[in-house]
Amino acid sequence: MNNFSFHNPTQILFGKGTIPQIGEEIARRGEKKVLLLAGSGSIKQNGVYDQTVQSLEAAGIARVECWGVQANPVLSKVREAIDLCRAEGVDAVLAVGGGSVLDSAKAVACGFYLNDVWAAYEKTEAITKALPLYTILTLSATGSEMNMFSVLTKPEEHKKWAIGHPSLYPVLSIVDPAVQTSLPWRQTVCGGVDSLSHIMEFYFIGKPTDTTVAVNTAVSRTIIEAVDQLQREPGDYDSRASLAWGSTLALNGISGCGLNFGEWSTHQLEHAVSAHHPDVAHAEGLAVLFPAWIEYCEAANPDTFAHWAQAVWDSNGVADGIDAFRDRLRQWEAPVSLADLGVKREEIPAIADTAMLTQPLGSLRPLSREDVVNILEIAANAS
Ligand code: NZQ
Ligand code: ZN
């Protein structure tokens, strides 16, 4: 096992009925006024908004609200929210929603202190500090509730970039799996696939005997079983809870201990696809690209790829493991080819060019532009 450093400062309040604690938790840390950042309105339909504002008001926390964060969140909304924070003099940011809202809140929290928030994503201005960040998660997928990463899109330049900084760990995140019962089936699947993908970005770096590989095997199987059960019974609380906590564990540092910060090239390829197709959900892009990446790269660490096929998918050999993975994606009604995403074969060169802008690309198997094109071709040919 490789050396590693693990530290995660985020407090998690997990479980049914935990949202009404938000006001008291913010108040006891001395914050008096927050920016409440939200998406397009699902939190008004499922009762999360009412629970949140009642709790804030009971604890005497003032708020200013900013709505309209979209899936694959964009820079312009973040700039609008930063201006609002400065004009209103808020002490903290409260994100209420899925990963897009949480990631935008992280951008706002650090952008508050930056000359140009996009420069942080371009790596031309350094993040030094951020406003305290609180989150109420309504979609378990990204792990953003307990990590220091944010992903943002500048659509006019086809750029979808990530930042990571210790100041971006949320102070506190509330995860009530019960409120995820309102998710459409497609988003539940997205949560499962994104979480499995985060684990896979680390998994193949390791050896079959590593503790973290064993943990990642168990979390993967639990996520798969939870999604299967939710397909049969969407209201099953225990499966929602298993998926939710599995999703957090998939990208809060635990899944990467001893695995050298992971691989991440499939995520970089997906971000290039979404940068050209903002309508493609992050996890749906991953569903198409991950089997293709595995097929292309398995020779880089054959024992661990074979172990994954057997331990996660009960399959004999990597090819059978990939088949089992794609079968499950089809069963879950997820896309399996670029055509399913609405991405045309002619777009592959432009997507490859965008992917090559983020370097390094690949650690287990460094990828050239030709490799990227080959992986995208496998994804185009899948059915
Ligand atoms: O707009 P709202 O009303 O919030 O509706 C959302 C949105 O339409 C809806 N939704 C969320 N919770 C719901 C709900 N609908 C009904 N009931 C609920 N309880 O779901 C839709 C998708 O939400 P979104 O936040 O976009 O999804 P997700 O959580 O998958 O976030 C995806 C974004 O996170 C980035 C992705 O690239 C993408 O931009 N990622 C962030 C990472 C991180 N910070 O560590 C890592 C990931 O790999 C990923 O790159
Ligand atoms: Zn992801």
Side-chain angles (χ1 to χ4, degrees), residues 40-42 98-100 103 138 147 149 160 179 182 198 267 271 282:
S40 64
S42 62
S100 295
D103 282 10
T138 63
N147 71 37
F149 307 114
K160 186 176 184 185
V179 305
S182 59
H198 296 154
H267 266 70
H271 289 167
H282 170 62

Side-chain angles (χ1 to χ4, degrees), residues 141-143 151 190 193-195 197-198 201 251 264 267 270-271 282-283 286:
T142 63
V151 183
C190 282
V193 172
D194 196 18
S195 306
S197 300
H198 296 154
E201 294 286 15
L251 197 53
W264 296 107
H267 266 70
E270 193 294 311
H271 289 167
H282 170 62
L286 292 169

Side-chain angles (χ1 to χ4, degrees), residues 209-227:
T209 49
D210 287 343
T211 305
T212 304
V213 170
V215 170
N216 287 347
T217 298
V219 177
S220 298
R221 291 194 70 111
T222 303
I223 290 168
I224 294 163
E225 282 163 25
V227 177

Side-chain angles (χ1 to χ4, degrees), residues 71 138-141 180 182-194 240 243 281-284:
T138 63
L139 167 48
S140 289
Q180 300 193 28
S182 59
L183 283 169
W185 171 239
R186 178 186 171 212
Q187 292 298 345
T188 298
V189 172
C190 282
V193 172
D194 196 18
R240 286 273 168 214
L243 176 55
H282 170 62
E284 293 184 333

Side-chain angles (χ1 to χ4, degrees), residues 87-367:
E88 293 280 341
V90 306
D91 309 312
V93 180
L94 171 60
V96 188
S100 295
V101 175
L102 271 58
D103 282 10
S104 299
K106 289 175 178 179
V108 173
C110 67
F112 186 82
Y113 294 109
L114 292 168
N115 290 319
D116 174 16
V117 65
W118 185 248
Y121 290 81
E122 293 275 11
K123 312 288 184 273
T124 54
E125 187 175 353
I127 300 168
T128 53
K129 57 182 176 173
L131 288 167
L133 173 67
Y134 298 83
T135 88
I136 295 175
L137 183 72
T138 63
L139 167 48
S140 289
T142 63
S144 190
E145 68 278 10
M146 202 180 181
N147 71 37
M148 60 170 184
F149 307 114
S150 162
V151 183
L152 194 63
T153 297
K154 190 175 186 186
E156 55 276 29
E157 293 181 12
H158 295 312
K159 289 178 174 172
K160 186 176 184 185
W161 292 165
I163 53 171
H165 190 267
S167 65
L168 299 179
Y169 280 105
V171 174
L172 168 92
S173 287
I174 293 184
V175 183
D176 178 347
V179 305
Q180 300 193 28
T181 306
S182 59
L183 283 169
W185 171 239
R186 178 186 171 212
Q187 292 298 345
T188 298
V189 172
C190 282
V193 172
D194 196 18
S195 306
L196 287 173
S197 300
H198 296 154
I199 290 172
M200 288 189 288
E201 294 286 15
F202 295 108
Y203 200 106
F204 303 112
I205 304 281
K207 298 189 189 76
T209 49
D210 287 343
T211 305
T212 304
V213 170
V215 170
N216 287 347
T217 298
V219 177
S220 298
R221 291 194 70 111
T222 303
I223 290 168
I224 294 163
E225 282 163 25
V227 177
D228 280 348
Q229 175 58 15
L230 289 169
Q231 191 168 24
R232 290 186 288 267
E233 200 182 333
D236 179 14
Y237 175 78
D238 287 336
S239 296
R240 286 273 168 214
S242 289
L243 176 55
W245 187 231
S247 177
T248 303
L249 290 177
L251 197 53
N252 72 346
I254 297 274
S255 60
C257 290
L259 300 179
N260 285 356
F261 306 110
E263 161 60 36
W264 296 107
S265 48
T266 309
H267 266 70
Q268 285 166 269
L269 298 190
E270 193 294 311
H271 289 167
V273 170
S274 299
H276 285 262
H277 280 265
D279 49 315
V280 169
H282 170 62
E284 293 184 333
L286 292 169
V288 170
L289 294 168
F290 234 119
W293 178 87
I294 292 170
E295 182 179 329
Y296 196 74
C297 296
E298 60 159 310
N301 193 3
D303 290 351
T304 301
F305 280 93
H307 177 79
W308 167 83
Q310 197 281 319
V312 176
W313 295 107
D314 300 316
S315 294
N316 199 6
V318 180
D320 284 354
I322 293 170
D323 284 347
F325 184 13
R326 280 213 185 95
D327 285 348
R328 197 61 62 104
L329 292 169
R330 284 189 211 95
Q331 177 194 308
W332 292 344
E333 299 158 27
V336 295
S337 72
L338 286 183
D340 292 345
L341 298 176
V343 177
K344 297 191 179 66
R345 199 180 283 272
E346 308 86 89
E347 297 178 77
I348 287 178
I351 293 170
D353 288 342
T354 298
M356 295 311 291
L357 293 176
T358 47
Q359 294 292 335
L361 184 54
S363 57
L364 180 65
R365 161 101 196 240
L367 300 178

